[in-house]
Amino acid sequence: MLRKVSAVWARCELVLAALCVVLVSGLILTNVVTRSAAMAIYWIDEAAIYVMIWMTFLAASAAIRTRGGASVTLLAEVVPQRAQRWLRLYVDVVVFIFACAMITFFFWWFDPITLSAMGFDTEAFQGATFNFVYAEPTVTLGIKKAWIWLVMGIFALGACLHATSNLYDSIKGQAAPTDRTQEPS
Amino acid sequence: MTALVFLVLLMGGVPIAVVLALTAVWYVSETDNTILLSSFSQQMFSGIENYGLLAIPLFMLTGELMNEGGITKRLINAARVFVGGFRGGLAYINLLANMFMAAIIGSAASQIAVMSRAMVPAMEEEGYRREFAAATTAAGGLLSPIIPPSMLFVIYGVLAQLPIGDMFLAGIIPGLILSAVFFLIIALVGLTQDFPAGRWLSRPDATKALIECLPAVLIPVVIVGGIVFGIATPTESAAVASLVAFAIGILVYRDLKLSRLGAMLVRTAQNASLVIFLVAAANVFGWVIIYEALPQKLVGELTALTRDPFVFLLIVNIVLLVIGMVIDGIAALILVTPILLPIAQSEYNIDPFQFGVVICLNLVLGLLTPPVGAGLYITAAMSEAKPIAIFRALTPFLLASMVVLVLLSFIPELTTALIR
């Protein structure tokens, strides 16, 4: 069940990340056209950067499911198969700790418990905590940056889901999902 | 203790981005700066809030569209027109086609995969030894991160806060030198091995090959021309190039299938994310470098060894060759740039563009050296030759690349001459 949820969620993340690629291309091309027509749209650069960041964290979360990402595989290649399984378990434990840490840090940052205790009054929240996460604006988009920063929470949740699923598989001795192998350099 | 945690995580095969992030967490906790952890996510986010990084997914998309759009065979045919008639013609064609591809793709691993599939069987069929065919193709892949556009240069430019367009310009002369040296190596190898005779194309066939190739050549013209003449930023050039690649693949060559577009976009997102996520993780790892004052600590050791910039670069080259053998090039670049660049600039007065080209070429050599040479294993998998046999055949190319490295370290003008 956990594995299935992780697979479906990873699929959603990748579809969204792929849409972000289209959006980034579209935004930059629009910028080229409008700039050459002397009608540059001032918010495009900032929007494109944020879309790229969403793409990055969505696909990075999905990469945890497939145990993607550059790593030093020297040890795994020389140890016997039995030790390789232990090594995989070790990596899965470490990635799980990382994912849990990311959730914790996100909660410290957005502090939803204090915010709800303040009746979702962001000004009262700022006054009480000196945490200005809900106050910071984007430079040109006209929205609060907290909406953009939300991707860190989505990333943390997705990473935690995939890391838990992988860890469970490792403990059960099931094979890893491997639907990607490319490595850019 | 932080160094030990870093090494245990790294050598245990944990993804390098996670290694960087967790090492930073450990360091912050150990030094009682836990207040920093509440801004950990924000620090990761802000590390990639950078316009220059937009070029990465766009160049990757262009590469994907060109690969699927039938460019490879057109470029190989065009290369045949120029060098196909020489003895060992197909080896030269391989290298020339790799030069064309390098001006489009920007990722050595992708280029090696594409070119190995296309060139190794063809060379073997004509009578070349499989290992040599694979080695020539893999060596051609080394041109990818040097001839613009280059993924490594984009990342270095972001880390060093240099204009990426100028970084691309810095790579042009070194890329041409490296290509010329590789041509020379093939000629020298040809003296010891009996290369098959080449065959010039007939005039109508040559004309047809060149005309067919023209639309494909538009891509490097858009990318390099846009940057060189200052018409567009590298990011904008990449976006225009991806649109042109899409149009050529669909309308001119008609090899690009819309049904495969989804998979291409997903691959682009996956590959770009791997790189950009590393940059994000490196930003929190920056805490360790800054608070531990690693560059300042290293300065004492290095300046005691030498005050000469050239000797310093040689030492850096030797260290990086070893690092590049065990760590992926992009990850290594992200790790070493914030530590070594300040020393190179402030203590040795080395031009940051020269330093960037030298360390990027150096680290990419690791792609072809065991034990962790992804490029070597990709070539081996595609060509079904043994990695060690390919490595043996690659040795002259690697040695020649090292000579070029020394040359680039000695003569800064080779990298700075074209920069405005």
Side-chain angles (χ1 to χ4, degrees):
Chain A
M1 178 64 184
L2 186 61
R3 196 177 222 227
K4 206 168 178 183
V5 174
S6 163
V8 170
W9 184 243
R11 189 78 212 138
C12 295
E13 286 171 326
L14 285 177
V15 169
L16 282 174
L19 288 175
C20 287
V21 174
V22 178
L23 203 50
V24 165
S25 312
L27 283 168
I28 299 294
L29 283 170
T30 309
N31 204 22
V32 172
V33 174
T34 54
R35 197 167 57 88
S36 55
M39 292 188 300
I41 302 172
Y42 63 94
W43 52 263
I44 281 191
D45 282 353
E46 192 184 16
I49 291 169
Y50 292 151
V51 174
M52 173 197 72
I53 295 176
W54 272 68
M55 175 209 78
T56 300
F57 285 107
L58 288 169
S61 168
I64 288 180
R65 177 179 178 269
T66 51
R67 297 183 173 88
S71 59
V72 177
T73 52
L74 199 57
L75 195 59
E77 280 160 17
V78 294
V79 296
Q81 204 157 14
R82 197 179 157 79
Q84 276 179 21
R85 277 208 296 272
W86 282 104
L87 207 55
R88 202 181 75 177
L89 181 64
Y90 161 74
V91 172
D92 285 341
V93 169
V94 172
V95 174
F96 178 73
I97 293 169
F98 165 73
C100 292
M102 289 307 297
I103 284 200
T104 311
F105 300 150
F106 182 77
F107 264 77
W108 287 353
W109 184 26
F110 269 64
D111 200 357
I113 295 165
T114 312
L115 182 69
S116 69
M118 299 275 171
F120 295 96
D121 180 343
T122 52
E123 284 189 15
F125 172 82
Q126 280 156 223
T129 60
F130 292 103
N131 180 346
F132 295 92
V133 61
Y134 297 106
E136 188 153 329
T138 50
V139 179
T140 56
L141 296 179
I143 56 169
K144 296 288 184 202
K145 205 163 174 182
W147 293 112
I148 313 287
W149 279 331
L150 262 184
V151 73
M152 298 309 292
I154 297 170
F155 165 72
L157 280 173
C160 209
L161 171 66
H162 303 316
T164 311
S165 167
N166 283 355
L167 186 57
Y168 180 77
D169 283 353
S170 273
I171 292 167
K172 286 269 184 184
Q174 287 178 13
T178 49
D179 55 19
R180 71 169 314 289
T181 50
Q182 290 193 37
E183 181 184 344
S185 243
Chain B
M1 191 62 186
T2 305
L4 186 68
V5 169
F6 175 78
L7 282 176
V8 168
L9 292 175
L10 187 74
M11 299 316 288
V14 175
I16 294 171
V18 176
V19 174
L20 296 178
L22 284 181
T23 306
V25 173
W26 180 277
Y27 177 77
V28 166
S29 310
E30 196 182 48
T31 50
D32 280 337
N33 279 315
T34 42
I35 187 76
L36 284 175
L37 294 179
S38 53
S39 62
F40 192 93
S41 304
Q42 190 180 4
Q43 180 81 0
M44 276 187 102
F45 186 101
S46 65
I48 53 174
E49 251 183 291
N50 187 303
Y51 181 79
L53 287 175
L54 280 168
I56 291 179
L58 294 172
F59 278 131
M60 284 183 172
L61 180 62
T62 308
E64 286 284 347
L65 290 166
M66 295 310 284
N67 288 348
E68 296 276 343
I71 180 175
T72 317
K73 58 184 179 198
R74 268 89 181 185
L75 287 180
I76 293 170
N77 270 344
R80 207 178 275 276
V81 176
F82 298 110
V83 288
F86 297 123
R87 179 163 287 280
L90 212 47
Y92 296 112
I93 289 169
N94 188 350
L95 205 54
L96 194 60
N98 260 302
M99 281 178 72
F100 290 148
M101 292 295 276
I104 295 166
I105 283 190
S107 158
S110 310
Q111 181 166 324
I112 288 170
V114 171
M115 292 303 288
S116 294
R117 261 197 308 264
M119 287 308 298
V120 177
M123 284 180 76
E124 213 182 342
E125 208 171 285
E126 263 197 31
Y128 293 85
R129 281 174 37 231
R130 185 186 291 181
E131 297 76 32
F132 175 73
T136 312
T137 314
L142 288 179
L143 299 172
S144 183
I146 304 302
I147 294 178
S150 153
M151 224 57 70
L152 279 177
F153 283 177
V154 172
I155 295 162
Y156 176 82
V158 168
L159 294 171
Q161 297 180 358
L162 295 172
I164 289 155
D166 285 351
M167 198 58 221
F168 282 176
L169 292 177
I172 291 179
I173 295 176
L176 293 175
I177 293 175
L178 200 61
S179 308
V181 170
F182 284 174
F183 275 110
L184 190 66
I185 296 283
I186 291 176
L188 291 175
V189 173
L191 296 178
T192 60
Q193 292 177 19
D194 194 19
F195 281 162
R199 182 179 57 85
W200 292 109
L201 292 180
S202 64
R203 190 176 287 265
D205 283 347
T207 313
K208 184 169 175 270
L210 287 178
I211 289 172
E212 276 196 345
C213 177
L214 272 181
V217 173
L218 253 181
I219 304 294
V221 168
V222 166
I223 295 173
V224 182
I227 297 164
V228 169
F229 295 110
I231 300 166
T233 65
T235 304
E236 290 171 343
S237 299
V240 175
S242 66
L243 182 69
V244 174
F246 179 76
I248 290 171
I250 290 280
L251 302 173
V252 183
Y253 293 157
R254 295 168 194 265
D255 284 353
L256 190 65
K257 302 279 176 286
L258 280 178
S259 57
R260 297 178 63 86
L261 201 58
M264 276 185 268
L265 290 169
V266 167
R267 273 202 303 274
T268 303
Q270 285 177 312
N271 287 333
S273 156
L274 279 188
V275 177
I276 303 172
F277 186 60
L278 256 175
V279 179
N283 207 45
V284 283
F285 187 73
W287 280 337
V288 182
I289 295 172
I290 292 164
Y291 287 108
E292 270 299 293
L294 288 182
Q296 289 84 337
K297 282 181 182 165
L298 208 58
V299 160
E301 313 277 334
L302 281 167
T303 47
L305 277 175
T306 181
R307 297 291 310 172
D308 184 69
F310 176 59
V311 179
F312 165 77
L313 278 176
L314 287 185
I315 295 170
V316 167
N317 272 318
I318 293 166
V319 173
L320 292 189
L321 278 174
V322 177
I323 291 178
M325 282 181 188
V326 287
I327 302 181
D328 169 75
I330 288 174
L333 182 73
I334 289 169
L335 268 178
V336 302
T337 303
I339 300 173
L340 291 178
L341 181 63
I343 302 175
Q345 280 187 281
S346 63
E347 296 298 320
Y348 295 94
N349 210 17
I350 293 171
D351 187 277
F353 292 102
Q354 181 196 13
F355 189 73
V357 173
V358 168
I359 64 170
C360 288
L361 174 58
N362 184 311
L363 288 172
V364 89
L365 290 181
L367 203 64
L368 297 180
T369 50
V372 190
L376 185 63
Y377 298 118
I378 291 171
T379 319
M382 298 286 173
S383 62
E384 293 176 8
K386 287 201 171 78
I388 198 72
I390 299 174
F391 181 66
R392 216 173 288 137
L394 255 173
T395 309
F397 293 101
L398 293 176
L399 289 175
S401 304
M402 287 178 202
V403 172
V404 172
L405 262 181
V406 174
L407 200 67
L408 295 176
S409 304
F410 191 65
I411 309 172
E413 289 76 14
L414 292 177
T415 42
T416 57
L418 293 182
I419 300 169
R420 287 180 289 269

